[in-house]
Amino acid sequence: MDYWLSKQLNITFSPYEDRLILRAERGEHGVANVLLTRRMAMIVLQRLLVNLTELTGLQKTPAQHWQEVLQMAHQQAMQAKRDADSAQAAAPAPEPSPASADDASAETVQPPALYLATELTTRLQDKQLAIAFTGLPMPQAMTQPSTHEPVFAMLLQAEHIHQLIELLITKAHEAQWHLPLTLPWLENPARPQTGLGGPTVH
């Protein structure tokens, strides 16, 4: 399958749907909203954790030191995220030119495509983790037979995997899903966060 590459990902929780919503920016291919069930969120977290271990070569570290290594790497990843957010907030917003404003007002805004996530594919390549989501188009898949479609893919370095893990756990905590997952090295997911932007997490 061919997947459109996304470089920015936001995550919110929908109480109405009881789903996490991944909003993937796919450039010229438009925005895709992907519904993530509790079961699928658990699968994503498990796959991220397994690949994080392989990507960082943790198998070469004595098992008794795994927690310390992961905790240090996680803290560094989240500090990098905070620094990036601070720099972005301090940067002045560019002023749109009159031509671009006219063009934007003339365009017809297309609603984001909506999918229910059904499969996650992961592959390690060039010291990065490629993740790709496949899903069913909604709402038509609720009433008629539909084929599974490639939705989007992302390339993540180890730092971004740490950031995405905390983001997913934070949102699952807000959803009161009580995932059966214990990570002693993870910081307390109390900070409000909403998204992942490659190569930085928001």
Side-chain angles (χ1 to χ4, degrees):
M1 291 185 179
D2 293 327
Y3 294 84
W4 291 314
L5 189 64
S6 174
K7 294 185 177 180
Q8 183 176 356
L9 180 68
N10 295 324
I11 303 180
T12 56
F13 171 67
S14 170
Y16 178 76
E17 298 280 354
D18 192 26
R19 302 283 188 267
L20 295 185
I21 302 177
L22 313 184
R23 180 182 174 87
E25 301 282 352
R26 304 181 298 176
E28 63 182 9
H29 302 292
V31 175
N33 284 344
V34 183
L35 302 177
L36 214 64
T37 62
R38 181 181 182 275
R39 172 182 170 276
M40 194 65 191
M42 193 67 202
I43 291 174
V44 173
L45 282 168
Q46 290 173 338
R47 298 287 287 277
L48 290 174
L49 288 167
V50 169
N51 283 280
L52 178 62
T53 301
E54 297 182 11
L55 184 63
T56 56
L58 200 59
Q59 304 97 322
K60 302 175 184 178
T61 303
Q64 63 267 31
H65 299 307
W66 277 31
Q67 180 173 327
E68 296 176 10
V69 173
L70 284 168
Q71 185 175 39
M72 182 177 298
H74 188 78
Q75 290 173 349
Q76 291 173 347
M78 299 315 300
Q79 184 59 52
K81 173 63 179 64
R82 290 189 286 271
D83 293 343
D85 284 349
S86 298
Q88 184 176 9
E95 296 183 3
S97 64
S100 63
D102 292 341
D103 292 342
S105 61
E107 292 180 357
T108 301
V109 178
Q110 296 293 332
L114 181 64
Y115 296 89
L116 175 67
T118 55
E119 183 181 355
L120 174 70
T121 302
T122 59
R123 185 177 71 252
L124 293 174
Q125 60 180 50
D126 301 328
K127 298 182 179 180
Q128 295 184 104
L129 174 64
I131 64 173
F133 283 91
T134 302
L136 288 171
M138 301 292 282
Q140 55 265 41
M142 299 177 63
T143 58
Q144 57 188 350
S146 303
T147 59
H148 297 258
E149 300 179 9
V151 184
F152 74 92
M154 293 192 79
L155 295 175
L156 304 173
Q157 297 178 358
E159 176 181 280
H160 311 130
I161 298 174
H162 275 286
Q163 295 167 0
L164 181 54
I165 288 172
E166 175 153 322
L167 178 59
L168 285 168
I169 291 180
T170 297
K171 290 303 170 182
H173 178 75
E174 292 179 8
Q176 299 182 355
W177 280 358
H178 308 294
L179 299 180
L181 185 68
T182 301
L183 301 175
W185 49 268
L186 188 69
E187 293 181 0
N188 183 24
R191 293 189 305 279
Q193 302 178 59
T194 58
L196 169 74
T200 58
V201 177
H202 299 288

